Amino acid sequence: EAGVTQSPTHLIKTRGQQATLRCSPISGHTSVYWYQQALGLGLQFLLWYDEGEERNRGNFPPRFSGRQFPNYSSELNVNALELEDSALYLCASSRSSSGPYEQYFGPGTRLTVT
Amino acid sequence: GENVEQHPSTLSVQEGDSAVIKCTYSDSASNYFPWYKQELGKGPQLIIDIRSNVGEKKDQRIAVTLNKTAKHFSLHITETQPEDSAVYFCAAYSGGYQKVTFGTGTKLQVIP
């Protein structure tokens, strides 16, 4: 069974640009979660999508947004990039629609903003 | 919102010894407590989890205990091996807030 995949592996952008990160969940999983892991910090919850709907979001500004497609893959968009957006962005998927029970993570996308 | 504290931040043990990592949480409504292992350059890997209706769960050398009254849960690794070296994160999921909160991580080093 293929795990969660993310693309690209690395992304370098300049301040003010937009970044788009992609995630494909494990087959059969309908929930997708996005997390930010800044250097030296823990994981911060960003967004939760299930069955195409945004279920919840963490304490991040509206320039962090995303969507989930009919095939359950997901996209995270970060507009008006700031230097502090530099981080590892992790996607996770779960079979459960009621919460992050048994969620599995992808390898992440390393975003660098210069 | 939920707050999760994790201790210690770093832990060094000799190969074969046990390692214990502790987390406390603040939201009494939290009902799911997973543990993740993150190796360098990789995403976190779920290693064990426990739900609030269970006090202890074991999987080979790994165990998790939960004390709902005291609002803390612990990861126990026995007979540690060098490949156990990694950063370990605890987390708590609050169904009420529908958010998962992670601890700040413990860097475990197993010395051969």
Side-chain angles (χ1 to χ4, degrees), chain A residues 61-80:
Chain A
R63 57 190 187 82
F64 287 84
S65 65
R67 53 181 171 165
Q68 186 178 34
F69 299 99
N71 66 353
Y72 303 115
S73 66
S74 178
E75 195 173 87
L76 173 69
N77 295 294
V78 188
N79 293 319

Side-chain angles (χ1 to χ4, degrees), chain A residues 35 37 41-43 45 48 55-59 88 90 98-108, chain B residues 31-32 34 36 38 41-46 49 51 89 93 95 97-105:
Chain A
Y35 297 90
Q37 187 174 31
L41 298 178
L43 285 80
F45 166 67
W48 171 13
R55 291 287 301 273
N56 208 355
R57 64 181 294 129
N59 297 324
L88 181 67
L90 292 158
S98 55
Y101 303 105
E102 293 189 42
Q103 66 176 339
Y104 295 89
F105 283 83
Chain B
N31 62 356
Y32 176 64
Y36 297 90
Q38 187 173 25
K42 297 184 179 180
Q45 174 194 359
L46 177 67
D49 56 10
R51 303 211 183 195
F89 290 96
Y93 173 64
Y97 291 106
Q98 291 194 318
K99 289 183 180 178
V100 58
T101 304
F102 282 80
T104 49

Side-chain angles (χ1 to χ4, degrees), chain B residues 25 33 50-56 64-68 71-74:
Chain B
Y25 60 98
F33 308 91
I50 194 167
R51 303 211 183 195
S52 58
N53 58 347
V54 176
E56 183 176 1
V64 56
T65 58
L66 171 64
N67 183 326
K68 283 195 301 180
K71 289 192 234 171
H72 67 70
F73 57 111
S74 300

Side-chain angles (χ1 to χ4, degrees), chain B residues 22-51:
Chain B
K22 298 181 179 179
C23 288
T24 60
Y25 60 98
S26 59
D27 184 3
S28 56
S30 290
N31 62 356
Y32 176 64
F33 308 91
W35 285 91
Y36 297 90
K37 173 184 180 183
Q38 187 173 25
E39 296 174 317
L40 201 61
K42 297 184 179 180
Q45 174 194 359
L46 177 67
I47 56 172
I48 196 166
D49 56 10
I50 194 167
R51 303 211 183 195

Side-chain angles (χ1 to χ4, degrees), chain A residues 24-93:
Chain A
S24 291
I26 292 172
S27 177
H29 288 195
T30 60
S31 276
V32 170
Y33 300 80
W34 287 96
Y35 297 90
Q36 182 194 65
Q37 187 174 31
L39 194 62
L41 298 178
L43 285 80
Q44 304 293 318
F45 166 67
L46 257 170
L47 289 159
W48 171 13
Y49 291 97
D50 182 66
E51 297 282 0
E53 303 275 333
E54 182 180 300
R55 291 287 301 273
N56 208 355
R57 64 181 294 129
N59 297 324
F60 282 85
R63 57 190 187 82
F64 287 84
S65 65
R67 53 181 171 165
Q68 186 178 34
F69 299 99
N71 66 353
Y72 303 115
S73 66
S74 178
E75 195 173 87
L76 173 69
N77 295 294
V78 188
N79 293 319
L81 285 165
E82 300 178 2
L83 296 177
E84 51 265 36
D85 296 334
S86 294
L88 181 67
Y89 288 85
L90 292 158
C91 170
S93 73

